[in-house]
Amino acid sequence: MERVRPIFRPDAVARWGALLYVSGGLVAAASQAVPHGPVRHEAVALLNAAGGLVVGGLLYAFRNRVRTWMLHALQFLGNVQIAIGIQFLGRGPVSVSATCFYVWTSVFAFYFFSWRAAIAHLVAVGVFLAATLSALHEPAGPAIWIVAVGTAGVAGAVVGALSRQLRLAAGTDGLTGLPNRWNWEEALERELHRAQRNGEPLCVASIDLDGFKALNDTRGHRAGDVYLRELAASWERALRGNDMLARYGGDEFAVLLPNAACGQALSVIDRMRVVAPHADFCSGVAEWDRAEGADLLLERADVAVYRAKAGGRNTTVVDGEGDPG
């Protein structure tokens, strides 16, 4: 699992997508309301702009029902709509200026989607624009294409790279290099949505180290920091490919276990004990009941770890079960 994922929740992306559609429609309409050069089919160009307002409104209204594949379809539709607008504007400075909208869609794709998907959308932009300029028999077509696609690609790539660096810095624990609490809880929300769609199980585990305060008191905080870094590196080797270990704060950690029932979650916790036999810890495991929110799921895992601590060192409790194990 990537520590900071490039994919956002569909409803969040849909809200920004709706804003992009509405803004594009308004800007396109405003450009026709002020003095401008000759236009091939002004009424159709305005109708195309109005279509952006309609799509944006519908996207916002139904944002909670949007799925990831729909977002890619809407990105594709937006790029097609820009090409249609350029076609009906015709040759000249007005249509050239309309290619600026491809910078908007490229930045959107590189910010919200994976690099592979964003590049695929940029390639589609290149194909659409080339076909449109060819159909218009635009004399400056090659130069317009190079400037428009090049600008869209560079702007998108720069924004995408910077946004990923910022999310990585904001979502990483500075001591261990693990995801921090904010990053982990964002991932939990995404995985709950995915588990709901796919009908998969999901577990979370809270972990509290035994005796860490005594280590800090006797050997100093520097030794404690080294201990936490080494422990985090060891524990990560015990995880499955899609699991996510985070430092929640102090000597508290959390594990997100997508597509895992309690038995599989306990196996991961057992492996964590094996790879770091010198580190005693108590753990509480909770399996999602398919109805509760993230806060209640985490609360159940926390209650389980408190029961484990009450039962002795180096124990695990599964929420809803009896004695620590």
Side-chain angles (χ1 to χ4, degrees), residues 26-315:
L26 290 174
V27 169
S31 70
Q32 298 300 299
V34 298
H36 54 274
V39 173
R40 187 179 182 188
H41 297 288
E42 188 164 353
V44 181
L46 284 171
L47 185 63
N48 190 50
L53 299 176
V54 173
V55 173
L58 291 173
L59 181 56
Y60 185 80
F62 295 98
R63 62 192 181 278
N64 292 324
R65 301 183 184 181
V66 169
R67 298 292 179 261
T68 300
W69 69 267
M70 298 179 187
L71 295 170
H72 289 288
L74 287 167
Q75 174 81 7
F76 185 87
L77 174 63
N79 288 329
V80 170
Q81 193 172 3
I82 295 169
I84 292 173
I86 294 171
Q87 178 69 28
F88 286 111
L89 288 172
R91 292 185 293 181
V94 176
S95 61
V96 172
S97 65
T99 62
C100 294
F101 286 118
Y102 281 129
V103 177
W104 294 24
T105 62
S106 180
V107 167
F108 181 88
F110 277 93
Y111 186 86
F112 286 110
F113 300 148
S114 68
W115 280 97
R116 181 179 298 178
I119 291 172
H121 285 299
L122 182 62
V123 170
V125 165
V127 172
F128 298 151
L129 184 57
T132 301
L133 294 172
S134 177
L136 288 173
H137 303 291
E138 171 62 56
I144 295 172
W145 188 94
I146 289 173
V147 172
V149 176
T151 301
V154 171
V158 169
V159 169
L162 291 176
S163 67
R164 282 162 175 80
Q165 289 180 11
L166 290 173
R167 291 200 298 273
L168 181 61
T172 302
D173 175 60
L175 176 63
T176 63
L178 293 175
N180 60 17
R181 177 173 182 166
W182 172 82
N183 187 2
W184 190 88
E185 290 182 352
E186 286 285 312
L188 173 59
E189 290 284 357
R190 289 192 297 267
E191 290 299 338
L192 286 175
H193 279 78
R194 180 175 297 165
Q196 185 69 61
R197 293 195 304 270
N198 300 337
E200 298 172 347
L202 180 145
C203 282
V204 297
S206 292
I207 294 175
D208 195 308
L209 296 178
D210 295 329
F212 183 70
K213 183 179 183 302
L215 172 65
N216 273 336
D217 291 342
T218 58
R219 298 178 55 190
H221 289 283
R222 184 179 296 276
D225 290 348
V226 172
Y227 177 77
L228 290 176
R229 282 195 294 266
E230 293 178 349
L231 186 59
S234 297
W235 278 351
E236 283 199 300
R237 295 196 297 269
L239 303 180
R240 304 171 307 161
N242 288 329
D243 298 336
M244 187 178 196
L245 171 68
R247 186 184 180 203
Y248 230 58
D251 61 348
E252 297 178 3
F253 294 81
V255 187
L256 173 58
L257 300 127
N259 196 21
C262 277
Q264 294 165 300
L266 289 173
S267 295
V268 172
I269 300 300
D270 288 342
R271 288 199 299 271
M272 291 171 67
R273 296 190 191 280
V274 170
V275 297
H278 60 288
D280 290 349
F281 64 87
C282 287
S283 177
V285 176
E287 183 173 353
W288 185 44
D289 68 1
R290 311 206 64 76
E292 65 193 336
D295 289 343
L296 184 54
L297 176 61
L298 288 171
E299 181 180 339
R300 292 199 292 115
D302 286 341
V303 170
V305 81
Y306 295 149
R307 290 177 51 212
K309 296 288 282 188
R313 294 171 61 93
N314 210 30
T315 57

